[in-house]
Amino acid sequence: MDTFWEYFSVLAPSVGLGLIFWLVMRSLFRADSGERNARAELEEREAEEWARLRAERGSLDGAGGTAGETTADDAGDGRGAAPTTAS
């Protein structure tokens, strides 16, 4: 029985550190996965909102634009065209 405790005392710290490392890595991967899922949901909601606003603006404009036409709002970050100054 003495040899068991000798082996245990030698192996326990390594096994303990391995377990701690595994728990930390598992929590990091789960947090990353949760963050990616939340980001995907946010981007999907933003895309739906953009499509809804685009459809409302198109119905207010009448016929809308031609196929393949891009405006400053479409091509940029949604803030519209940059203001120009007269020289």
Side-chain angles (χ1 to χ4, degrees), residues 12-83:
S14 297
V15 171
L17 284 176
L19 181 63
I20 291 171
F21 177 76
W22 178 76
L23 289 171
V24 167
M25 294 306 292
R26 186 181 89 170
S27 67
L28 287 174
F29 285 127
R30 285 188 176 186
D32 183 53
S33 175
E35 184 177 344
R36 280 186 274 128
N37 290 340
R39 175 119 184 165
E41 290 174 9
L42 175 66
E43 288 177 356
E44 184 176 339
R45 282 194 310 250
E46 287 176 346
E48 290 172 355
E49 178 70 14
W50 180 84
R52 184 184 62 77
L53 291 173
R54 186 79 173 137
E56 287 177 2
R57 190 173 79 188
S59 66
L60 293 176
D61 291 343
T66 59
E69 178 183 345
T70 18
T71 64
D73 282 341
D74 297 333
D77 57 3
R79 290 186 272 173

